[in-house]
Short mmCIF file of all heavy atoms in Angstrom, two decimals:
data_model
loop_
_atom_site.label_atom_id
_atom_site.label_comp_id
_atom_site.label_asym_id
_atom_site.label_seq_id
_atom_site.Cartn_x
_atom_site.Cartn_y
_atom_site.Cartn_z
N THR A 260 103.76 36.14 49.10
CA THR A 260 102.51 35.75 49.74
C THR A 260 101.89 34.62 48.94
O THR A 260 101.75 34.72 47.73
CB THR A 260 101.53 36.93 49.79
OG1 THR A 260 102.14 38.00 50.49
CG2 THR A 260 100.23 36.52 50.46
N GLU A 261 101.52 33.57 49.64
CA GLU A 261 100.83 32.45 49.00
C GLU A 261 99.37 32.50 49.39
O GLU A 261 99.03 32.79 50.53
CB GLU A 261 101.44 31.12 49.44
CG GLU A 261 102.86 30.93 48.95
CD GLU A 261 103.41 29.57 49.31
OE1 GLU A 261 102.68 28.58 49.14
OE2 GLU A 261 104.55 29.52 49.77
N ILE A 262 98.52 32.22 48.44
CA ILE A 262 97.08 32.20 48.69
C ILE A 262 96.60 30.77 48.50
O ILE A 262 96.86 30.14 47.49
CB ILE A 262 96.33 33.15 47.73
CG1 ILE A 262 96.81 34.58 47.95
CG2 ILE A 262 94.82 33.02 47.93
CD1 ILE A 262 96.25 35.57 46.96
N TYR A 263 95.91 30.27 49.51
CA TYR A 263 95.37 28.92 49.45
C TYR A 263 93.86 28.99 49.40
O TYR A 263 93.25 29.76 50.13
CB TYR A 263 95.79 28.10 50.67
CG TYR A 263 97.27 27.89 50.77
CD1 TYR A 263 98.07 28.73 51.52
CD2 TYR A 263 97.87 26.85 50.07
CE1 TYR A 263 99.44 28.55 51.59
CE2 TYR A 263 99.23 26.65 50.13
CZ TYR A 263 100.01 27.50 50.90
OH TYR A 263 101.36 27.30 50.97
N THR A 264 93.27 28.21 48.54
CA THR A 264 91.81 28.15 48.46
C THR A 264 91.41 26.72 48.74
O THR A 264 91.88 25.79 48.10
CB THR A 264 91.32 28.55 47.05
OG1 THR A 264 91.79 29.86 46.76
CG2 THR A 264 89.81 28.52 46.98
N LEU A 265 90.55 26.55 49.74
CA LEU A 265 90.04 25.24 50.07
C LEU A 265 88.64 25.08 49.50
O LEU A 265 87.83 25.99 49.58
CB LEU A 265 89.94 25.06 51.60
CG LEU A 265 91.23 24.96 52.37
CD1 LEU A 265 90.92 24.92 53.87
CD2 LEU A 265 92.00 23.72 51.97
N SER A 266 88.38 23.93 48.92
CA SER A 266 87.01 23.66 48.51
C SER A 266 86.20 23.39 49.77
O SER A 266 86.74 23.12 50.84
CB SER A 266 86.96 22.43 47.60
OG SER A 266 87.24 21.26 48.35
N LEU A 267 84.89 23.46 49.63
CA LEU A 267 84.03 23.16 50.78
C LEU A 267 84.31 21.76 51.30
O LEU A 267 84.40 21.52 52.50
CB LEU A 267 82.56 23.31 50.40
CG LEU A 267 81.55 23.06 51.50
CD1 LEU A 267 81.80 23.98 52.69
CD2 LEU A 267 80.14 23.25 50.97
N HIS A 268 84.53 20.82 50.38
CA HIS A 268 84.82 19.44 50.78
C HIS A 268 86.09 19.37 51.61
O HIS A 268 86.16 18.69 52.63
CB HIS A 268 84.94 18.55 49.54
CG HIS A 268 85.33 17.15 49.86
ND1 HIS A 268 86.63 16.72 49.76
CD2 HIS A 268 84.61 16.10 50.30
CE1 HIS A 268 86.69 15.45 50.12
NE2 HIS A 268 85.48 15.06 50.44
N ASP A 269 87.12 20.10 51.22
CA ASP A 269 88.38 20.10 51.96
C ASP A 269 88.27 20.84 53.29
O ASP A 269 88.94 20.50 54.25
CB ASP A 269 89.49 20.76 51.13
CG ASP A 269 89.85 19.95 49.90
OD1 ASP A 269 89.65 18.72 49.91
OD2 ASP A 269 90.32 20.56 48.92
N ALA A 270 87.42 21.85 53.33
CA ALA A 270 87.30 22.68 54.52
C ALA A 270 86.44 22.04 55.61
O ALA A 270 86.58 22.39 56.78
CB ALA A 270 86.73 24.04 54.16
N LEU A 271 85.57 21.11 55.26
CA LEU A 271 84.66 20.53 56.26
C LEU A 271 85.37 19.90 57.45
O LEU A 271 84.98 20.15 58.60
CB LEU A 271 83.70 19.53 55.61
CG LEU A 271 82.53 20.16 54.87
CD1 LEU A 271 81.66 19.08 54.23
CD2 LEU A 271 81.69 21.04 55.76
N PRO A 272 86.41 19.09 57.25
CA PRO A 272 87.08 18.53 58.43
C PRO A 272 87.66 19.60 59.35
O PRO A 272 87.57 19.49 60.57
CB PRO A 272 88.19 17.65 57.83
CG PRO A 272 87.74 17.34 56.45
CD PRO A 272 86.95 18.55 56.01
N ILE A 273 88.23 20.65 58.76
CA ILE A 273 88.79 21.75 59.56
C ILE A 273 87.66 22.44 60.31
O ILE A 273 87.77 22.72 61.51
CB ILE A 273 89.54 22.74 58.65
CG1 ILE A 273 90.71 22.05 57.97
CG2 ILE A 273 89.99 23.97 59.44
CD1 ILE A 273 91.29 22.81 56.81
N PHE A 274 86.58 22.70 59.62
CA PHE A 274 85.41 23.34 60.20
C PHE A 274 84.89 22.52 61.38
O PHE A 274 84.66 23.06 62.47
CB PHE A 274 84.34 23.50 59.12
CG PHE A 274 83.06 24.13 59.56
CD1 PHE A 274 83.04 25.45 59.98
CD2 PHE A 274 81.87 23.42 59.51
CE1 PHE A 274 81.84 26.05 60.37
CE2 PHE A 274 80.68 24.02 59.90
CZ PHE A 274 80.67 25.33 60.32
N CYS A 275 84.75 21.23 61.19
CA CYS A 275 84.24 20.35 62.25
C CYS A 275 85.19 20.30 63.44
O CYS A 275 84.74 20.29 64.59
CB CYS A 275 83.98 18.95 61.71
SG CYS A 275 82.58 18.89 60.58
N GLN A 276 86.48 20.29 63.19
CA GLN A 276 87.46 20.28 64.28
C GLN A 276 87.38 21.55 65.11
O GLN A 276 87.44 21.51 66.34
CB GLN A 276 88.88 20.11 63.73
CG GLN A 276 89.16 18.73 63.20
CD GLN A 276 90.49 18.67 62.47
OE1 GLN A 276 91.20 19.66 62.30
NE2 GLN A 276 90.84 17.47 62.02
N GLU A 277 87.23 22.69 64.44
CA GLU A 277 87.13 23.96 65.16
C GLU A 277 85.85 24.01 65.98
O GLU A 277 85.85 24.51 67.11
CB GLU A 277 87.20 25.15 64.19
CG GLU A 277 88.56 25.33 63.56
CD GLU A 277 89.68 25.48 64.58
OE1 GLU A 277 89.54 26.28 65.52
OE2 GLU A 277 90.71 24.78 64.44
N LEU A 278 84.76 23.50 65.42
CA LEU A 278 83.50 23.49 66.17
C LEU A 278 83.59 22.55 67.38
O LEU A 278 83.08 22.87 68.45
CB LEU A 278 82.34 23.07 65.27
CG LEU A 278 81.92 24.10 64.23
CD1 LEU A 278 80.86 23.52 63.32
CD2 LEU A 278 81.41 25.37 64.89
N LEU A 279 84.24 21.42 67.21
CA LEU A 279 84.39 20.47 68.31
C LEU A 279 85.14 21.10 69.48
O LEU A 279 84.79 20.92 70.64
CB LEU A 279 85.09 19.20 67.83
CG LEU A 279 85.19 18.06 68.83
CD1 LEU A 279 83.81 17.63 69.30
CD2 LEU A 279 85.92 16.88 68.19
N LYS A 280 86.16 21.90 69.16
CA LYS A 280 86.91 22.61 70.20
C LYS A 280 86.00 23.55 71.00
O LYS A 280 86.27 23.85 72.15
CB LYS A 280 88.05 23.44 69.59
CG LYS A 280 89.16 22.63 69.01
CD LYS A 280 90.18 23.55 68.36
CE LYS A 280 91.20 22.82 67.55
NZ LYS A 280 92.12 23.75 66.85
N LYS A 281 84.92 24.00 70.35
CA LYS A 281 84.00 24.94 70.98
C LYS A 281 82.75 24.23 71.54
O LYS A 281 81.80 24.88 71.95
CB LYS A 281 83.60 26.01 69.97
CG LYS A 281 84.78 26.88 69.56
CD LYS A 281 84.41 27.79 68.41
CE LYS A 281 85.50 28.78 68.11
NZ LYS A 281 86.65 28.27 67.46
N GLY A 282 82.76 22.90 71.52
CA GLY A 282 81.67 22.13 72.12
C GLY A 282 80.51 21.80 71.21
O GLY A 282 79.47 21.33 71.67
N VAL A 283 80.67 22.01 69.89
CA VAL A 283 79.61 21.69 68.93
C VAL A 283 80.07 20.48 68.12
O VAL A 283 81.13 20.50 67.51
CB VAL A 283 79.32 22.89 67.99
CG1 VAL A 283 78.29 22.52 66.95
CG2 VAL A 283 78.87 24.10 68.80
N VAL A 284 79.25 19.44 68.12
CA VAL A 284 79.61 18.21 67.42
C VAL A 284 78.73 18.05 66.18
O VAL A 284 77.51 18.10 66.27
CB VAL A 284 79.43 16.97 68.34
CG1 VAL A 284 79.80 15.69 67.61
CG2 VAL A 284 80.24 17.13 69.60
N LEU A 285 79.38 17.89 65.04
CA LEU A 285 78.70 17.62 63.77
C LEU A 285 79.24 16.33 63.22
O LEU A 285 80.35 15.91 63.54
CB LEU A 285 78.97 18.74 62.77
CG LEU A 285 78.55 20.15 63.16
CD1 LEU A 285 79.01 21.13 62.10
CD2 LEU A 285 77.07 20.24 63.35
N ARG A 286 78.47 15.70 62.35
CA ARG A 286 78.99 14.53 61.66
C ARG A 286 78.79 14.71 60.17
O ARG A 286 77.90 15.45 59.75
CB ARG A 286 78.35 13.25 62.15
CG ARG A 286 76.91 13.05 61.79
CD ARG A 286 76.45 11.66 62.24
NE ARG A 286 75.03 11.52 62.10
CZ ARG A 286 74.43 11.05 61.01
NH1 ARG A 286 75.13 10.68 59.97
NH2 ARG A 286 73.12 10.93 60.97
N PRO A 287 79.63 14.06 59.37
CA PRO A 287 79.48 14.18 57.93
C PRO A 287 78.08 13.77 57.49
O PRO A 287 77.54 12.78 57.97
CB PRO A 287 80.53 13.24 57.36
CG PRO A 287 81.53 13.09 58.46
CD PRO A 287 80.75 13.20 59.73
N GLY A 288 77.50 14.54 56.59
CA GLY A 288 76.15 14.26 56.14
C GLY A 288 76.07 13.22 55.05
O GLY A 288 74.98 12.75 54.72
N ASP A 289 77.22 12.81 54.49
CA ASP A 289 77.17 11.84 53.40
C ASP A 289 76.64 10.49 53.87
O ASP A 289 76.16 9.70 53.07
CB ASP A 289 78.52 11.69 52.71
CG ASP A 289 79.63 11.19 53.61
OD1 ASP A 289 79.51 11.31 54.85
OD2 ASP A 289 80.63 10.70 53.07
N ALA A 290 76.66 10.22 55.17
CA ALA A 290 76.11 8.97 55.70
C ALA A 290 74.60 8.91 55.53
O ALA A 290 73.99 7.84 55.61
CB ALA A 290 76.48 8.82 57.16
N SER A 291 73.97 10.05 55.29
CA SER A 291 72.52 10.11 55.12
C SER A 291 72.07 9.77 53.71
O SER A 291 70.88 9.70 53.45
CB SER A 291 72.02 11.51 55.49
OG SER A 291 72.36 11.83 56.82
N PHE A 292 73.02 9.59 52.80
CA PHE A 292 72.71 9.26 51.42
C PHE A 292 73.00 7.79 51.17
O PHE A 292 73.90 7.21 51.77
CB PHE A 292 73.55 10.13 50.46
CG PHE A 292 73.22 11.59 50.54
CD1 PHE A 292 73.89 12.42 51.43
CD2 PHE A 292 72.25 12.14 49.73
CE1 PHE A 292 73.59 13.77 51.51
CE2 PHE A 292 71.94 13.48 49.79
CZ PHE A 292 72.60 14.30 50.69
N PHE A 293 72.25 7.20 50.25
CA PHE A 293 72.40 5.77 49.98
C PHE A 293 73.40 5.44 48.88
O PHE A 293 73.91 4.35 48.82
CB PHE A 293 71.04 5.15 49.63
CG PHE A 293 70.09 5.15 50.79
CD1 PHE A 293 69.01 6.00 50.82
CD2 PHE A 293 70.30 4.30 51.87
CE1 PHE A 293 68.15 6.01 51.90
CE2 PHE A 293 69.45 4.32 52.96
CZ PHE A 293 68.36 5.17 52.98
N SER A 294 73.68 6.38 48.01
CA SER A 294 74.57 6.08 46.88
C SER A 294 76.03 6.14 47.31
O SER A 294 76.39 6.80 48.28
CB SER A 294 74.32 7.05 45.73
OG SER A 294 74.72 8.35 46.10
N HIS A 295 76.87 5.43 46.57
CA HIS A 295 78.31 5.41 46.86
C HIS A 295 78.97 6.74 46.49
O HIS A 295 80.01 7.07 47.03
CB HIS A 295 78.99 4.26 46.11
CG HIS A 295 78.58 2.92 46.62
ND1 HIS A 295 78.95 2.45 47.86
CD2 HIS A 295 77.82 1.96 46.06
CE1 HIS A 295 78.44 1.26 48.05
NE2 HIS A 295 77.73 0.93 46.97
N ASP A 296 78.37 7.46 45.56
CA ASP A 296 78.93 8.74 45.15
C ASP A 296 78.16 9.90 45.80
O ASP A 296 77.90 10.92 45.18
CB ASP A 296 78.96 8.87 43.64
CG ASP A 296 77.57 8.78 43.02
OD1 ASP A 296 76.63 8.33 43.71
OD2 ASP A 296 77.42 9.17 41.85
N SER A 297 77.83 9.73 47.07
CA SER A 297 77.06 10.75 47.78
C SER A 297 77.86 12.04 47.90
O SER A 297 79.08 12.02 47.94
CB SER A 297 76.67 10.24 49.16
OG SER A 297 77.82 9.93 49.91
N PRO A 298 77.16 13.17 47.97
CA PRO A 298 77.87 14.45 48.09
C PRO A 298 78.64 14.52 49.40
O PRO A 298 78.22 13.97 50.41
CB PRO A 298 76.75 15.48 48.05
CG PRO A 298 75.49 14.75 48.30
CD PRO A 298 75.72 13.32 47.96
N LYS A 299 79.77 15.18 49.38
CA LYS A 299 80.63 15.27 50.55
C LYS A 299 80.57 16.63 51.24
O LYS A 299 81.30 16.88 52.17
CB LYS A 299 82.09 14.99 50.15
CG LYS A 299 82.28 13.68 49.43
CD LYS A 299 81.98 12.50 50.32
CE LYS A 299 82.32 11.22 49.59
NZ LYS A 299 81.36 10.17 49.77
N ASN A 300 79.68 17.49 50.77
CA ASN A 300 79.62 18.84 51.33
C ASN A 300 78.37 19.06 52.19
O ASN A 300 77.86 20.16 52.27
CB ASN A 300 79.69 19.88 50.21
CG ASN A 300 78.58 19.73 49.21
OD1 ASN A 300 77.92 18.72 49.16
ND2 ASN A 300 78.36 20.75 48.41
N TYR A 301 77.92 18.02 52.86
CA TYR A 301 76.78 18.12 53.76
C TYR A 301 77.21 17.80 55.17
O TYR A 301 78.12 16.99 55.39
CB TYR A 301 75.68 17.12 53.36
CG TYR A 301 74.89 17.53 52.15
CD1 TYR A 301 75.41 17.37 50.87
CD2 TYR A 301 73.62 18.06 52.29
CE1 TYR A 301 74.68 17.75 49.76
CE2 TYR A 301 72.88 18.44 51.18
CZ TYR A 301 73.41 18.28 49.92
OH TYR A 301 72.70 18.65 48.82
N LEU A 302 76.54 18.41 56.13
CA LEU A 302 76.77 18.12 57.54
C LEU A 302 75.45 17.71 58.17
O LEU A 302 74.40 18.19 57.77
CB LEU A 302 77.31 19.33 58.29
CG LEU A 302 78.70 19.80 57.90
CD1 LEU A 302 79.02 21.11 58.59
CD2 LEU A 302 79.73 18.74 58.27
N HIS A 303 75.53 16.85 59.15
CA HIS A 303 74.34 16.42 59.88
C HIS A 303 74.31 17.16 61.22
O HIS A 303 75.25 17.07 62.00
CB HIS A 303 74.37 14.92 60.12
CG HIS A 303 73.20 14.43 60.92
ND1 HIS A 303 71.96 14.23 60.35
CD2 HIS A 303 73.08 14.15 62.23
CE1 HIS A 303 71.14 13.82 61.29
NE2 HIS A 303 71.79 13.77 62.44
N LEU A 304 73.25 17.91 61.45
CA LEU A 304 73.06 18.59 62.72
C LEU A 304 72.04 17.78 63.51
O LEU A 304 70.87 17.73 63.16
CB LEU A 304 72.52 20.02 62.50
CG LEU A 304 73.34 20.92 61.61
CD1 LEU A 304 72.60 22.24 61.38
CD2 LEU A 304 74.68 21.20 62.24
N GLY A 305 72.50 17.13 64.56
CA GLY A 305 71.60 16.31 65.37
C GLY A 305 71.02 17.12 66.50
O GLY A 305 71.59 17.17 67.59
N TYR A 306 69.92 17.78 66.27
CA TYR A 306 69.37 18.64 67.30
C TYR A 306 68.22 18.01 68.07
O TYR A 306 67.79 18.54 69.09
CB TYR A 306 68.94 19.99 66.73
CG TYR A 306 68.01 19.91 65.56
CD1 TYR A 306 66.65 19.76 65.74
CD2 TYR A 306 68.50 19.97 64.26
CE1 TYR A 306 65.80 19.66 64.66
CE2 TYR A 306 67.66 19.88 63.18
CZ TYR A 306 66.31 19.73 63.38
OH TYR A 306 65.49 19.64 62.30
N SER A 307 67.70 16.87 67.66
CA SER A 307 66.56 16.29 68.36
C SER A 307 66.94 15.75 69.74
O SER A 307 66.11 15.69 70.64
CB SER A 307 65.90 15.19 67.52
OG SER A 307 66.82 14.14 67.30
N ALA A 308 68.20 15.39 69.93
CA ALA A 308 68.64 14.85 71.22
C ALA A 308 69.34 15.90 72.08
O ALA A 308 69.83 15.60 73.15
CB ALA A 308 69.57 13.67 70.99
N ILE A 309 69.36 17.14 71.61
CA ILE A 309 70.06 18.21 72.31
C ILE A 309 69.06 19.01 73.13
O ILE A 309 67.94 19.28 72.68
CB ILE A 309 70.75 19.15 71.29
CG1 ILE A 309 71.64 18.38 70.33
CG2 ILE A 309 71.53 20.25 72.00
CD1 ILE A 309 72.75 17.62 70.97
N ASP A 310 69.47 19.39 74.32
CA ASP A 310 68.65 20.26 75.17
C ASP A 310 68.30 21.51 74.37
O ASP A 310 69.18 22.18 73.84
CB ASP A 310 69.45 20.61 76.43
CG ASP A 310 68.73 21.53 77.38
OD1 ASP A 310 67.66 22.09 77.03
OD2 ASP A 310 69.24 21.71 78.50
N THR A 311 67.02 21.81 74.28
CA THR A 311 66.58 22.94 73.46
C THR A 311 67.20 24.26 73.89
O THR A 311 67.34 25.17 73.08
CB THR A 311 65.05 23.07 73.45
OG1 THR A 311 64.58 23.16 74.80
CG2 THR A 311 64.40 21.88 72.77
N ASN A 312 67.59 24.38 75.13
CA ASN A 312 68.23 25.60 75.60
C ASN A 312 69.64 25.77 75.02
O ASN A 312 70.19 26.87 75.05
CB ASN A 312 68.32 25.62 77.13
CG ASN A 312 66.94 25.64 77.77
OD1 ASN A 312 66.05 26.35 77.31
ND2 ASN A 312 66.76 24.84 78.80
N LYS A 313 70.22 24.70 74.52
CA LYS A 313 71.59 24.76 73.98
C LYS A 313 71.63 24.89 72.46
O LYS A 313 72.68 25.19 71.90
CB LYS A 313 72.37 23.51 74.40
CG LYS A 313 72.56 23.42 75.90
CD LYS A 313 73.33 22.18 76.27
CE LYS A 313 73.53 22.11 77.78
NZ LYS A 313 74.26 20.90 78.16
N ILE A 314 70.50 24.68 71.80
CA ILE A 314 70.49 24.70 70.33
C ILE A 314 70.85 26.08 69.80
O ILE A 314 71.69 26.21 68.91
CB ILE A 314 69.12 24.24 69.77
CG1 ILE A 314 68.95 22.75 70.06
CG2 ILE A 314 69.02 24.51 68.28
CD1 ILE A 314 67.58 22.21 69.70
N ASN A 315 70.24 27.13 70.32
CA ASN A 315 70.54 28.48 69.82
C ASN A 315 72.00 28.84 70.02
O ASN A 315 72.62 29.45 69.14
CB ASN A 315 69.63 29.52 70.48
CG ASN A 315 68.22 29.47 69.96
OD1 ASN A 315 67.96 28.92 68.90
ND2 ASN A 315 67.29 30.03 70.72
N LYS A 316 72.57 28.48 71.16
CA LYS A 316 73.99 28.77 71.41
C LYS A 316 74.86 28.01 70.41
O LYS A 316 75.82 28.56 69.86
CB LYS A 316 74.36 28.40 72.85
CG LYS A 316 75.81 28.67 73.19
CD LYS A 316 76.16 30.13 73.10
CE LYS A 316 77.61 30.37 73.48
NZ LYS A 316 78.06 31.70 73.13
N GLY A 317 74.54 26.75 70.16
CA GLY A 317 75.30 25.96 69.19
C GLY A 317 75.22 26.55 67.79
O GLY A 317 76.21 26.62 67.07
N MET A 318 74.02 26.99 67.39
CA MET A 318 73.86 27.60 66.07
C MET A 318 74.64 28.90 65.99
O MET A 318 75.23 29.22 64.96
CB MET A 318 72.38 27.83 65.76
CG MET A 318 71.60 26.54 65.58
SD MET A 318 72.27 25.45 64.30
CE MET A 318 72.05 26.45 62.84
N GLU A 319 74.67 29.66 67.07
CA GLU A 319 75.45 30.90 67.11
C GLU A 319 76.94 30.60 66.90
O GLU A 319 77.63 31.30 66.16
CB GLU A 319 75.22 31.60 68.44
CG GLU A 319 75.96 32.90 68.59
CD GLU A 319 75.71 33.53 69.97
OE1 GLU A 319 74.58 33.44 70.48
OE2 GLU A 319 76.68 34.10 70.52
N ILE A 320 77.42 29.55 67.54
CA ILE A 320 78.83 29.16 67.39
C ILE A 320 79.11 28.76 65.94
O ILE A 320 80.13 29.15 65.36
CB ILE A 320 79.18 28.01 68.36
CG1 ILE A 320 79.14 28.54 69.80
CG2 ILE A 320 80.53 27.40 68.03
CD1 ILE A 320 79.21 27.44 70.86
N ILE A 321 78.20 28.00 65.33
CA ILE A 321 78.37 27.57 63.94
C ILE A 321 78.42 28.79 63.01
O ILE A 321 79.31 28.91 62.16
CB ILE A 321 77.24 26.62 63.51
CG1 ILE A 321 77.38 25.28 64.25
CG2 ILE A 321 77.22 26.40 62.00
CD1 ILE A 321 76.19 24.35 64.10
N VAL A 322 77.49 29.72 63.17
CA VAL A 322 77.46 30.92 62.33
C VAL A 322 78.74 31.73 62.49
O VAL A 322 79.33 32.18 61.50
CB VAL A 322 76.21 31.77 62.66
CG1 VAL A 322 76.29 33.14 62.02
CG2 VAL A 322 74.95 31.05 62.21
N ASN A 323 79.18 31.90 63.72
CA ASN A 323 80.41 32.67 63.95
C ASN A 323 81.62 31.99 63.32
O ASN A 323 82.51 32.66 62.77
CB ASN A 323 80.63 32.90 65.44
CG ASN A 323 79.66 33.92 66.01
OD1 ASN A 323 79.15 34.77 65.29
ND2 ASN A 323 79.39 33.82 67.29
N GLU A 324 81.68 30.67 63.39
CA GLU A 324 82.81 29.95 62.79
C GLU A 324 82.78 30.06 61.27
O GLU A 324 83.83 30.19 60.63
CB GLU A 324 82.80 28.48 63.23
CG GLU A 324 84.08 27.76 62.99
CD GLU A 324 85.28 28.37 63.69
OE1 GLU A 324 85.16 28.90 64.81
OE2 GLU A 324 86.38 28.33 63.10
N ILE A 325 81.60 30.05 60.68
CA ILE A 325 81.49 30.25 59.24
C ILE A 325 82.00 31.64 58.86
O ILE A 325 82.74 31.80 57.89
CB ILE A 325 80.03 30.06 58.76
CG1 ILE A 325 79.64 28.58 58.86
CG2 ILE A 325 79.84 30.58 57.33
CD1 ILE A 325 78.17 28.31 58.65
N LYS A 326 81.63 32.63 59.63
CA LYS A 326 82.10 34.00 59.37
C LYS A 326 83.62 34.09 59.44
O LYS A 326 84.24 34.79 58.64
CB LYS A 326 81.46 34.98 60.35
CG LYS A 326 79.99 35.22 60.09
CD LYS A 326 79.40 36.17 61.11
CE LYS A 326 77.93 36.40 60.87
NZ LYS A 326 77.34 37.29 61.90
N VAL A 327 84.23 33.38 60.38
CA VAL A 327 85.69 33.39 60.51
C VAL A 327 86.33 32.78 59.27
O VAL A 327 87.37 33.25 58.81
CB VAL A 327 86.12 32.62 61.79
CG1 VAL A 327 87.61 32.33 61.79
CG2 VAL A 327 85.71 33.38 63.03
N MET A 328 85.71 31.74 58.72
CA MET A 328 86.30 31.03 57.58
C MET A 328 86.03 31.73 56.24
O MET A 328 86.71 31.43 55.26
CB MET A 328 85.75 29.60 57.52
CG MET A 328 86.21 28.75 58.68
SD MET A 328 85.60 27.07 58.59
CE MET A 328 86.70 26.41 57.34
N MET A 329 85.09 32.66 56.20
CA MET A 329 84.75 33.34 54.96
C MET A 329 85.85 34.32 54.59
O MET A 329 86.39 35.00 55.46
CB MET A 329 83.43 34.10 55.10
CG MET A 329 82.23 33.21 55.34
SD MET A 329 81.77 32.28 53.89
CE MET A 329 81.16 33.56 52.85
N PRO A 330 86.16 34.41 53.31
CA PRO A 330 87.17 35.39 52.90
C PRO A 330 86.66 36.80 53.13
O PRO A 330 85.48 37.08 52.95
CB PRO A 330 87.36 35.11 51.41
CG PRO A 330 86.28 34.20 51.00
CD PRO A 330 85.64 33.63 52.23
N ARG A 331 87.53 37.65 53.56
CA ARG A 331 87.16 39.05 53.78
C ARG A 331 87.39 39.83 52.49
O ARG A 331 88.37 39.63 51.79
CB ARG A 331 88.00 39.63 54.91
CG ARG A 331 87.82 38.87 56.20
CD ARG A 331 88.45 39.63 57.34
NE ARG A 331 88.69 38.80 58.49
CZ ARG A 331 87.77 38.45 59.39
NH1 ARG A 331 86.54 38.82 59.23
NH2 ARG A 331 88.08 37.71 60.42
N SER A 332 86.48 40.75 52.22
CA SER A 332 86.64 41.53 50.98
C SER A 332 87.07 42.94 51.29
O SER A 332 87.15 43.39 52.35
CB SER A 332 85.34 41.55 50.19
OG SER A 332 84.24 41.87 51.01
#
């Protein structure tokens, strides 16, 4: 049995791809920082342009996807 551990930075693209399949679009949050060495473990949630009726469903999808990616104890 091989065990793989992904850092948050490595897991973000996978996380975003899975969310996109479920209709939730995120973008990397590092674009919100001005420095060249900006953190890579942030996501931008653009909710101001989203129909307010869809925000809760999108957040539910995000939370469920995080639960799927969390290691089980």
Side-chain angles (χ1 to χ4, degrees):
T260 302
E261 293 184 45
I262 299 174
Y263 296 95
T264 303
L265 290 175
S266 70
L267 181 57
H268 176 262
D269 293 334
L271 282 178
I273 298 165
F274 180 65
C275 290
Q276 289 171 357
E277 291 304 312
L278 289 175
L279 186 58
K280 291 177 190 176
K281 294 171 173 74
V283 177
V284 180
L285 301 175
R286 70 174 171 91
D289 61 340
S291 301
F292 295 90
F293 293 108
S294 68
H295 292 291
D296 60 345
S297 59
K299 305 294 186 221
N300 59 344
Y301 284 78
L302 294 173
H303 178 80
L304 303 174
Y306 53 84
S307 63
I309 307 300
D310 179 350
T311 55
N312 297 318
K313 296 180 180 179
I314 292 173
N315 286 342
K316 180 62 179 168
M318 292 304 295
E319 181 181 322
I320 292 169
I321 291 170
V322 168
N323 287 335
E324 195 59 35
I325 289 170
K326 289 178 180 178
V327 167
M328 293 182 77
M329 295 289 290
R331 301 191 199 280
S332 48

